[in-house]
Amino acid sequence: MAAIVGMIVFDFVGHVRTPHAPSLKESATWSAIYVGIAILFGLGVLVFAGGTYGGEYFAGYVTEKALSVDNLFVFVLIMASFGVPRELQQKVLLFGIAFALALRTVFIFVGAAAIENYSWVFYLFGAILIYTAVVQARSGGHDDDEEYKENGVLKLVRKVIPTTDEYHSDRLTTKIDGKRFITPLMIALIAIGTADIIFAVDSIPAIFGLTQETFLVFTANAFSLLGLRQLFFLIDGLLDRLVYLAYGLAVILGFIGIKLVIHALHTNEVPFINGGEHITLIPEIPTWLSLLVILFTLVVTTVLSLRKNKKDAAAGHASPTGLEDKGAGRDGLQAEGPGNRDGSPAGARGDAPATGRTAGVTDGRSDS
């Protein structure tokens, strides 16, 4: 845990303190470093704890990483909706990742305690994953017209706390005429934080379906989140091309959900199911099979997505969602929001469609 916190602190000090839009080389290098660290840790588990625990860790890490990639799509929508300038996106992402890690740590320990004391929790987790899988499959990915919609938390924050229309450098709050305001950067950060809570609903049950070792659940989650910031800048222009990712995740979540239900039957203590006796008619799914199913599904999903994009490109069709890079212009100053897609003025704030206000960026000299 100390090492993981140290890596997050290093990100804050070494990369985010000076706002900048990372280059493709920088993003690729650091993404590879964080993935490499996660793999080395997994090999350590394999050597010192054996193949079973090693397989559980890698199955959990790959699943959490795949779910994180899907979550990046929502982050892209949030960045677009709030017109976050590209050089400020790193800060929003890193704060969001730190919040997600803290939040998931709490969820993990609560989930571990529940599993330890109540065997019926496996039924609950399995039902959540199967339901999520059905929703994912029905969605079929992300629609062309999909935009981020503010939740109740954000609406409440806007009503209670005064908010500026402009970005003041990388500040989260600012003073204007002696009055304290929060900036759109803080609003975007709250949006990503609340989205992380929703993501945890399927993420935590999914990994508990692969291992009940709390240490492995925590480390797989942590390593999947580390490097997510760099991965965002590396593939944000490619996310819309993973057209079958939702279907692949639906298969994975459904598979793990079924695995959890089978495990629940083997440890059954619910009185109205078989009189509270264990049901072992269906054998439990081994870890090695889980890992193979997860890897195979992701490979097939990626290959089919790339083939479809190749066919679409040959036929002259645009990208499936038209999302591409939703960040600021390459100069990093004028942010472009969803208004650019529906004909409203360039630079229109996605969170203020009625007025078409721009999300400007100031250097903070006008403060107080």
Side-chain angles (χ1 to χ4, degrees):
M1 290 178 70
I4 289 167
V5 171
M7 284 186 273
I8 292 177
V9 171
F10 173 76
D11 260 356
F12 272 109
V13 175
H15 294 115
V16 176
R17 190 163 59 174
T18 303
H20 70 286
S23 65
L24 184 64
K25 181 180 179 181
E26 178 185 340
S27 300
T29 300
W30 283 103
S31 292
I33 288 173
Y34 279 117
V35 170
I37 291 172
I39 292 174
L40 285 175
F41 177 84
L43 292 176
V45 173
L46 194 66
V47 171
F48 293 103
T52 299
Y53 289 129
E56 289 179 356
Y57 166 79
F58 278 115
Y61 172 72
V62 172
T63 300
E64 293 299 312
K65 201 69 174 177
L67 290 170
S68 296
V69 170
D70 189 52
N71 297 346
L72 286 180
F73 190 98
V74 178
F75 291 168
V76 170
L77 292 175
I78 291 173
M79 296 293 187
S81 294
F82 296 106
V84 181
R86 194 167 178 81
E87 79 275 13
L88 302 182
Q89 290 178 3
Q90 286 202 89
K91 187 168 187 175
V92 176
L93 284 169
L94 193 53
F95 270 107
I97 290 168
F99 175 78
L101 183 57
L103 182 72
R104 291 189 187 192
T105 300
V106 174
F107 283 0
I108 287 167
F109 283 108
V110 170
I115 287 172
E116 183 72 23
N117 292 282
Y118 308 104
S119 62
W120 55 261
V121 171
F122 288 110
Y123 287 114
L124 176 63
F125 282 180
I128 290 173
L129 292 183
I130 293 172
Y131 172 77
T132 306
V134 172
V135 172
Q136 282 270 40
R138 284 181 176 176
S139 74
H142 305 282
D143 299 328
D144 293 357
D145 300 326
E146 185 168 2
E147 290 185 10
Y148 176 74
K149 295 177 179 62
E150 289 190 3
N151 54 42
V153 174
L154 283 178
K155 291 177 181 177
L156 179 63
V157 169
R158 286 187 185 281
K159 287 182 179 179
V160 174
I161 306 175
T163 308
T164 67
D165 295 330
E166 296 180 327
Y167 286 89
H168 292 253
S169 184
D170 63 341
R171 299 183 183 184
L172 300 177
T173 65
T174 187
K175 264 189 176 182
I176 301 176
D177 296 329
K179 188 177 181 181
R180 178 67 64 179
F181 289 79
I182 62 173
T183 69
L185 193 65
M186 172 68 86
I187 294 292
L189 195 154
I190 294 172
I192 285 183
T194 51
D196 283 329
I197 297 176
I198 298 171
F199 297 154
V201 173
D202 57 18
S203 175
I204 300 305
I207 193 161
F208 270 117
L210 297 167
T211 177
Q212 281 85 61
E213 288 295 323
T214 308
F215 180 63
L216 296 182
V217 172
F218 171 77
T219 50
N221 257 280
F223 283 124
S224 71
L225 290 172
L226 290 172
L228 195 60
R229 173 180 61 83
Q230 292 87 348
L231 192 63
F232 174 87
F233 291 99
L234 184 63
I235 68 172
D236 66 345
L238 301 177
L239 285 173
D240 60 325
R241 290 174 169 78
L242 297 175
V243 293
Y244 295 126
L245 180 60
Y247 294 115
L249 290 177
V251 171
I252 292 172
L253 292 176
F255 171 79
I256 298 174
I258 293 171
K259 184 177 187 293
L260 273 170
V261 171
I262 294 173
H263 181 73
L265 292 172
H266 277 252
T267 59
N268 178 59
E269 294 176 351
V270 180
F272 56 83
I273 299 179
N274 197 37
E277 297 295 326
H278 299 345
I279 302 173
T280 58
L281 182 63
I282 304 173
E284 291 209 56
I285 300 172
T287 301
W288 64 265
L289 181 57
S290 299
L291 184 56
L292 280 180
V293 169
I294 292 166
L295 291 174
F296 178 77
T297 302
L298 290 176
V299 169
V300 170
T301 298
T302 303
V303 171
L304 291 179
S305 294
L306 294 176
R307 285 183 61 185
K308 186 179 189 307
N309 278 285
K310 189 175 180 181
K311 289 181 179 178
D312 288 346
H317 298 313
S319 65
T321 63
L323 278 177
E324 299 298 338
D325 179 9
K326 287 297 193 305
R330 292 301 173 182
D331 58 1
L333 294 177
Q334 183 61 55
E336 295 182 354
N340 301 99
R341 296 202 301 275
D342 57 18
S344 58
R349 277 274 303 279
D351 56 328
T355 62
R357 293 175 298 180
T358 58
V361 182
T362 72
D363 58 6
R365 288 195 292 269
S366 63
D367 296 357
S368 58

